[in-house]
Amino acid sequence: MSTARIAVDADRPIGAIDRRMYGVLVEHLGRCVYTGIFEPDHPAADEHGLRRDVMELVRELGVTVARYPGGNFVSNYRWEDGVGPLARRPRRLELAWHSTEPNTFGTDEFMTWCRLAGVEPMMALNLGTRGEEDAVNLLDYVNGRADTDYANLRRANGHDEPYDVRMWCLGNEMDGPWQVGHKSAEDYARLALSTARAMHMVDRGLELVACGSSAWEMPTFGDWERTVLELGYDEIDYISMHRYIDPAAQDRADLLAAGVDLDRFIDGVIATADAVGAKRRSDKKIKISVDEWNVWRISEWNAIEHGFDPGDWPLAPEKIEDVYTAADALAVGGLLISLLRHADRVKAACLAQLVNVIAPIMTEKGGRAWRQTIFHPFATASRIARGTAYDAVVAGPLTATGRYGEVEALDAVVTWDEQTATGSLLALNRSLTESLDVTAALGASRVASARILAPEDLDAVNTADEPDAVAPVAHPVELADGALTTTLPPASWLAVELA
Ligand code: AHR
């Protein structure tokens, strides 16, 4: 047993936690949309074909914003195919995931889902096969108030009120050679800038996200961001970054330290963006949108996904349906701490994805819906970690990892919401072998709840038959004179709700 102390300087907050911190990706990929959120034949479907059972879980997950319609999908998507009378919607080859896109779910259905789920829509634009003109047309369809053909088309389709979508992604992972319409940094920067200018001619207040790197390992990382920002600094509000942690390509100690990986990547993007800003003597700070992040056994996926059959274009096939372990949930808990630690610059983040595809929620076609292990840290953080983030300065033992060397065994972040006078302590014991006696000087007067994920079996998973095999349980903590004390077992993630 070791001891660890947490100190928090209440006069030095990190920054406000944007409500968009708890976003997700909803992509036309596999069964995320079809038989995920949308399944008209399902017994739980509402009059729009949306699954009510899934909707309830989405609300419980605490999702604030949803990025749509991709992902890689968007780079070959024709949005017009997905609006208007169903009988006139075409079926198309979907190149990114080698599927048939039936287009029975499109922009209007997504907006309806967002409204009912209480989620803000974030739209991604196709800058793979399309450009400025289509971006402006879609913007007019979605937000248009004037007497124009596209705004009138939306009205004719039964949606009088504009949707007023504020956040728009200028393409998806355009640095990746797998992307339909992949571009060099220079070509993408020019297209992103001219699209941003055109979008801003329609509405100067739109918040625009330029593509950053699809992974920290990309050979273009750094130069890509610099090129895009040198050209687009004045028109762009956010630079994106995507991060997937692969448990199949690392050991458990590394997996539990996934937050170190994300810290380094985020810090690298901030450094690059600020170097461009400094050269311009600009006061403006570019925000970061981590608009895809999760744990994903991507090496296993890459190993099986060879050679598409040109005669086989399935509709909503089971693709990338990772089953998450208890250890994966701890890694997600660590990634959330890292995101919150960067709340001053990370102003949007999307867990990728929402349902079935590397997702916190799973469904059976025509059947049940349940929570994967990773559902729990996300739902907890989204519920209690709001307001302002504070750095938790840790003094305690180190633990050894292969990838990152020795790292703090205890990782933590503290939040406080002035408006509700509630806060949180999120803490991860990354050590696989040592318990930690933790003392945290928080100045809180009451603990509203304390729950822990401390799995006996790190390989345990949740299934339709055993949906609660891995779930947080109540954990004893003591509070005296504003200082909280507790013991964290090895490999555990604690969430304390403070008042
Ligand atoms: O989320 C799965 C895929 O991962 C997305 O479509 C793409 O943007 C990323 O490479």
Side-chain angles (χ1 to χ4, degrees):
M1 172 86 72
S2 301
T3 57
R5 274 181 293 110
I6 295 176
V8 181
D9 185 346
D11 294 325
R12 292 177 68 90
I14 296 171
I17 302 165
D18 199 288
R19 65 179 301 282
R20 291 178 179 147
M21 187 65 95
Y22 301 108
V24 293
L25 171 63
V26 172
E27 177 167 8
H28 285 242
L29 192 187
R31 298 193 310 116
C32 181
V33 170
Y34 302 109
T35 75
I37 62 174
F38 179 73
E39 190 177 349
D41 297 338
H42 193 279
D46 68 7
E47 70 272 28
H48 308 288
L50 303 169
R51 280 184 65 158
R52 287 197 186 91
D53 53 345
V54 174
M55 183 79 77
E56 260 170 47
L57 289 173
V58 170
R59 291 197 192 107
E60 182 186 326
L61 189 62
V63 175
T64 53
V65 62
R67 180 167 171 256
Y68 175 85
N72 296 340
F73 169 83
V74 74
S75 299
N76 73 138
Y77 181 49
R78 295 160 47 94
W79 66 268
E80 304 91 327
D81 292 347
V83 298
L86 280 181
R88 279 201 245 131
R89 296 194 195 178
R91 292 161 78 90
R92 300 267 186 214
L93 295 180
E94 198 293 288
L95 305 182
W97 302 102
H98 201 85
S99 311
T100 295
E101 174 50 52
N103 282 306
T104 50
F105 187 98
T107 304
D108 292 311
E109 287 79 17
F110 174 66
M111 297 297 166
T112 301
W113 179 85
C114 284
R115 177 172 54 77
L116 296 173
V119 164
E120 178 192 351
M122 179 200 296
M123 294 295 283
L125 295 164
N126 174 356
L127 293 194
T129 59
R130 302 188 129 187
E132 303 88 334
E133 185 178 329
D134 293 299
V136 168
N137 292 347
L138 175 60
L139 174 61
D140 195 19
Y141 182 86
V142 169
N143 284 358
R145 292 177 184 279
D147 180 12
T148 61
D149 273 19
Y150 282 110
N152 287 335
L153 181 60
R154 184 197 67 240
R155 294 182 186 106
N157 289 337
H159 308 281
D160 267 352
E161 279 305 303
Y163 297 112
D164 196 27
V165 174
R166 305 318 303 159
M167 197 161 171
W168 294 78
C169 303
L170 302 165
N172 175 72
E173 293 191 351
M174 299 308 297
D175 64 324
W178 56 85
Q179 201 69 211
V180 178
H182 160 62
K183 294 179 174 39
S184 69
E186 290 75 16
D187 288 349
Y188 170 70
R190 271 191 287 273
L191 179 58
L193 174 62
S194 60
T195 305
R197 281 194 176 134
M199 303 276 289
H200 276 154
M201 284 177 185
V202 179
D203 180 348
R204 186 59 237 178
L206 296 177
E207 297 173 66
L208 302 181
V209 188
C211 292
S213 291
S214 50
W216 158 251
E217 293 82 4
M218 294 300 287
T220 44
F221 169 69
D223 285 338
W224 177 280
E225 284 79 356
R226 183 182 48 72
T227 307
V228 170
L229 290 175
E230 275 176 352
L231 210 64
Y233 208 86
D234 295 331
E235 299 284 340
I236 285 164
D237 303 286
Y238 299 77
I239 188 91
S240 77
M241 49 178 280
H242 292 178
R243 193 59 183 154
Y244 293 104
I245 300 291
D246 183 355
Q250 57 197 288
D251 66 22
R252 279 274 153 76
D254 289 346
L255 180 62
L256 293 200
V260 178
D261 176 290
L262 189 57
D263 285 345
R264 290 181 185 177
F265 190 5
I266 296 173
D267 291 343
V269 175
I270 293 172
T272 310
D274 286 354
V276 177
K279 236 171 113 180
R280 301 167 68 91
R281 284 110 182 133
S282 173
D283 289 339
K284 174 175 170 180
K285 292 282 184 209
I286 296 288
K287 297 182 249 190
I288 296 179
S289 175
V290 188
D291 46 39
E292 289 184 32
W293 70 270
N294 203 347
V295 169
W296 175 8
R297 287 170 173 72
I298 193 166
S299 54
E300 288 177 0
W301 165 255
N302 286 337
I304 55 167
E305 192 65 9
H306 294 305
F308 291 117
D309 176 350
D312 183 26
W313 295 83
L315 199 154
E318 286 181 18
K319 269 187 200 254
I320 329 186
E321 300 203 357
D322 284 28
V323 176
Y324 288 108
T325 65
D328 299 337
L330 298 177
V332 163
L335 294 171
L336 283 160
I337 291 174
S338 167
L339 289 171
L340 289 164
R341 186 170 23 250
H342 292 92
D344 54 335
R345 297 299 288 273
V346 173
K347 293 295 180 186
C350 300
L351 181 72
Q353 300 193 2
L354 180 61
V355 189
N356 291 325
V357 179
I358 41 174
I361 298 170
M362 293 300 289
T363 67
E364 290 169 330
K365 183 176 181 207
R368 298 167 285 183
W370 66 98
R371 303 166 190 82
Q372 291 235 54
T373 62
I374 61 168
F375 183 100
H376 296 291
F378 188 99
T380 306
S382 167
R383 187 172 64 77
I384 68 175
R386 301 276 182 150
T388 301
Y390 292 85
D391 206 5
V393 181
V394 170
L398 302 177
T399 191
T401 69
R403 285 189 177 211
Y404 317 109
E406 302 243 289
V407 301
E408 293 281 359
L410 180 65
D411 192 22
V413 72
V414 171
T415 68
W416 184 255
D417 188 344
E418 275 302 332
Q419 291 196 336
T420 56
T422 58
S424 73
L425 165 68
L426 306 180
L428 173 68
N429 182 358
R430 293 161 166 162
S431 168
L432 289 162
T433 51
E434 270 206 82
S435 290
L436 292 175
D437 264 345
V438 176
T439 306
L442 299 174
S445 58
R446 194 170 68 83
V447 168
S449 72
R451 296 177 75 73
I452 197 165
L453 269 173
E456 270 173 28
D457 176 6
L458 287 173
D459 290 314
V461 299
N462 290 344
T463 61
D465 290 331
E466 270 197 274
D468 300 319
V470 179
V473 294
H475 188 66
V477 299
E478 280 177 23
L479 191 66
D481 301 327
L484 182 139
T485 52
T486 191
T487 300
L488 289 186
S492 61
W493 188 81
L494 175 74
V496 182
E497 193 180 356
L498 306 163

